[in-house]
Amino acid sequence: PADIATFFGVTELLVRRVLALAGLAAPIRKLYAEDAIDRETIRALTLATPSQQAEWLKLWNSETERAPFGRACKAWVTGGSTITTDKALFDLAAYTGAVTADLFGERAVFTDAEAFWKAQAAEVSARIEQYLARGWADVVCLERGTYFQRWEYVQTTKKKGGKVYAEQRRDGTVTFHEGWLKASEARKKSRQDIDSDGNSAADVKP
C-alpha cells in the first residue's frame, strides 16, 4: 500500500480503502455497482470476515429474512453494537480479543462485543474497588444501557454520603459520576440531620 500510494501520489489510507472494497465478495461488489446497496452498507461490510459476507448475502437472497443495512449492518458485523477502541478503559496492549481496523472511521472497532464487555467489566470492578478504598460511601453500577438521569439526583460531597454512579452505555462508554445521591435519599438524610442536630438543614433541591 505504501508503494502504491507513492507511485500514484495519493494517501496510503485511500489505497487501503480501495483494497478493502476490492477484497469484498464479488456478488457484494456487483450489488454496489448496481446501486442496490448504499455506501454506508458496503463500508460496513469491509469489516466483515468472508464467512460473514457469505451470511449477509444469504440474508440478502432470503425470502423471509432481511439483510441489515447502514449502521445496523455495522452493528451486525461487530456482534450487535459498534464499539470503538477509544471506549476501552483497559489496556489495549493486553487485550487478547479481536480488533478490526475501520478504514472508513477514525477508530478501530472490537469485533467481539462480548469479549470487550468482559474486559471492560474487569476494569470497572477494579475502579469500583479504588473508589471504595478512597472512602466513598458506595459505588452503584447502573445496568448497561441505563442513562444517569441527573435530575433525579442531588450533588453532594463524599463526606456527606455522596455516592459514585457508574453509567455504562451500549456503545461501550463508561462514565463515573462522583458525588451524587438520589433526591429521595438526600431528603431522608436531611431529615435525619434535623433530628440529630435539632437544627434545620439547608433546603435540598429536587
Side-chain angles (χ1 to χ4, degrees):
D3 293 340
I4 296 171
T6 301
F7 183 84
F8 287 102
V10 296
T11 64
E12 188 175 338
L13 177 60
L14 177 61
V15 174
R16 291 186 181 278
R17 285 175 173 175
V18 172
L19 292 175
L21 292 169
L24 287 169
I28 292 176
R29 297 201 310 271
K30 185 173 185 292
L31 288 172
Y32 181 65
E34 295 172 349
D35 290 329
I37 57 177
D38 60 12
R39 182 178 299 179
E40 189 175 10
T41 300
I42 198 168
R43 286 180 173 181
L45 287 170
T46 62
L47 298 170
T49 62
S51 60
Q52 286 177 317
Q53 292 177 39
E55 180 64 24
W56 188 90
L57 284 168
K58 183 178 178 181
L59 292 172
W60 170 267
N61 293 316
S62 173
E63 295 182 358
T64 58
E65 297 182 89
R66 184 179 178 184
F69 278 76
R71 291 184 180 179
C73 181
K74 193 171 185 179
W76 177 81
V77 169
T78 55
S81 60
T82 304
I83 304 174
T84 52
T85 51
D86 61 315
K87 303 300 191 301
L89 297 178
F90 52 86
D91 183 7
L92 286 172
Y95 180 68
T96 57
V99 176
T100 302
D102 184 358
L103 298 174
F104 298 93
E106 296 181 1
R107 305 278 183 175
V109 298
F110 293 97
T111 55
D112 187 340
E114 186 177 346
F116 162 81
W117 279 113
K118 184 177 180 180
Q120 191 82 321
E123 181 61 27
V124 169
S125 296
R127 296 199 181 191
I128 288 174
E129 292 300 322
Q130 292 170 9
Y131 274 114
L132 295 174
R134 294 205 303 266
W136 286 93
D138 193 12
V139 181
V140 180
C141 198
L142 301 178
E143 188 177 344
R144 190 184 307 166
T146 301
Y147 283 75
F148 180 73
Q149 311 286 10
R150 285 180 179 247
W151 56 84
E152 296 180 358
Y153 298 82
V154 174
Q155 195 161 23
T156 187
T157 63
K158 182 197 300 184
K159 291 182 178 179
K160 293 184 178 180
K163 298 179 182 180
V164 178
Y165 288 83
E167 178 186 30
Q168 305 176 97
R169 299 195 178 183
R170 297 196 182 279
D171 68 350
T173 302
V174 177
T175 306
F176 292 91
H177 302 274
E178 301 177 3
W180 295 85
L181 275 176
K182 278 199 169 184
S184 57
E185 289 183 81
R187 287 193 295 270
K188 182 179 179 181
K189 191 174 186 311
S190 177
R191 288 194 296 269
Q192 289 175 343
D193 291 342
I194 293 172
D195 293 339
S196 61
D197 299 338
N199 298 317
S200 296
D203 290 340
V204 178
K205 292 183 179 180

